[in-house]
């Protein structure tokens, strides 16, 4: 059975490669050079996000991505910020500083079954509870992801659902 194109549905034309996907107008900031960050940035670029790797340690890097080592004007209302390593000592100071910017969304990887390390780190730095509450954890759709590519797909799917005001969201 042949598929008939609905001339009124631009998503159909995009799906059949007859029209380019609209750029998202969003910035995806992966914090910390990690395997998840590499997948997030690579897949995010394909999905129309402007990818930025923020790595405060100049000795760490990812192949294919130039890391910025200082926060900047790219942390605006279009920025979705994902901390991709919940074991780094810099979590508190990085999040404290990111939260000073008008970022649209901020989250940190981690299991809902374990205590969130960022909460205490931010509280110890004097960050008010309402600012700490802006940091989402866990992140991504609850699809049972375990590998870096799966975590990146789950995270990006949640960001796309959120961007499109759809219920895919981050509920666990």
């Amino acid at each position: 059975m042949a598929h008939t194109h609905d001339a009124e549905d631009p998503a159909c034309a995009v799906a059949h490669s007859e029209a380019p996907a609209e750029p998202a107008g969003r910035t995806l900031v992966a914090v910390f050079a990690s395997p998840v960050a590499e997948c997030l940035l690579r897949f995010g670029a394909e999905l129309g996000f402007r990818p930025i790797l923020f790595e405060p340690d100049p000795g760490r890097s990812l192949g294919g991505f130039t890391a910025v080592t200082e926060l900047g004007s790219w942390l605006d209302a279009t920025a979705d910020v994902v901390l991709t390593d919940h074991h780094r000592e810099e979590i508190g100071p990085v999040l404290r500083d990111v939260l000073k910017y008008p970022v649209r969304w901020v989250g940190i990887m981690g299991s809902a079954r374990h205590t969130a390390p960022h909460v205490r780190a931010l509280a110890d730095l004097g960050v008010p509870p309402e600012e700490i509450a802006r940091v989402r954890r866990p992140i991504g759709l609850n699809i049972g992801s375990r590998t870096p590519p799966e975590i990146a797909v789950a995270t990006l799917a949640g960001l796309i659902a959120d961007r499109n005001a759809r219920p895919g969201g981050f509920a666990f």
Side-chain angles (χ1 to χ4, degrees), residues 15-69:
H16 293 282
S17 300
E18 295 166 3
E22 291 290 319
R26 296 267 282 275
T27 301
L28 176 63
V29 181
V31 179
F32 303 133
S34 72
V36 171
E38 181 179 7
C39 293
L40 270 174
L41 295 172
R42 191 164 30 100
F43 300 163
E46 292 290 327
L47 294 168
F49 288 88
R50 178 173 66 127
I52 294 180
L53 172 63
F54 173 67
E55 174 52 73
D57 181 348
R60 296 181 188 224
S61 64
L62 283 178
F65 296 97
T66 302
V68 293
T69 57

Side-chain angles (χ1 to χ4, degrees), residues 32-156:
F32 303 133
S34 72
V36 171
E38 181 179 7
C39 293
L40 270 174
L41 295 172
R42 191 164 30 100
F43 300 163
E46 292 290 327
L47 294 168
F49 288 88
R50 178 173 66 127
I52 294 180
L53 172 63
F54 173 67
E55 174 52 73
D57 181 348
R60 296 181 188 224
S61 64
L62 283 178
F65 296 97
T66 302
V68 293
T69 57
E70 295 187 21
L71 301 179
S73 61
W74 40 267
L75 284 172
D76 59 17
T78 71
D80 296 326
V81 181
V82 181
L83 274 76
T84 66
D85 187 334
H86 57 270
H87 297 291
R88 294 276 296 265
E89 292 179 13
E90 308 99 311
I91 286 173
V94 165
L95 277 173
R96 175 200 60 207
D97 295 346
V98 164
L99 289 170
K100 292 177 184 176
Y101 288 84
V103 297
R104 198 198 69 75
W105 187 94
V106 61
I108 183 171
M109 285 181 17
S111 170
R113 296 182 309 269
H114 300 103
T115 303
H118 72 282
V119 174
R120 178 160 182 110
L122 288 170
D124 289 348
L125 291 169
V127 176
E130 62 274 10
E131 286 296 299
I132 296 171
R134 289 179 57 202
V135 181
R136 297 175 191 223
R137 182 177 173 273
I139 60 171
L141 298 185
N142 185 3
I143 60 172
S145 51
R146 304 235 185 282
T147 67
E150 290 174 345
I151 293 166
V153 166
T155 301
L156 288 163

Side-chain angles (χ1 to χ4, degrees), residues 136 139-142 154-155 157-162 165-172:
R136 297 175 191 223
I139 60 171
L141 298 185
N142 185 3
T155 301
L159 290 171
I160 291 168
D162 182 68
R166 297 290 191 221
F170 297 93
F172 280 75

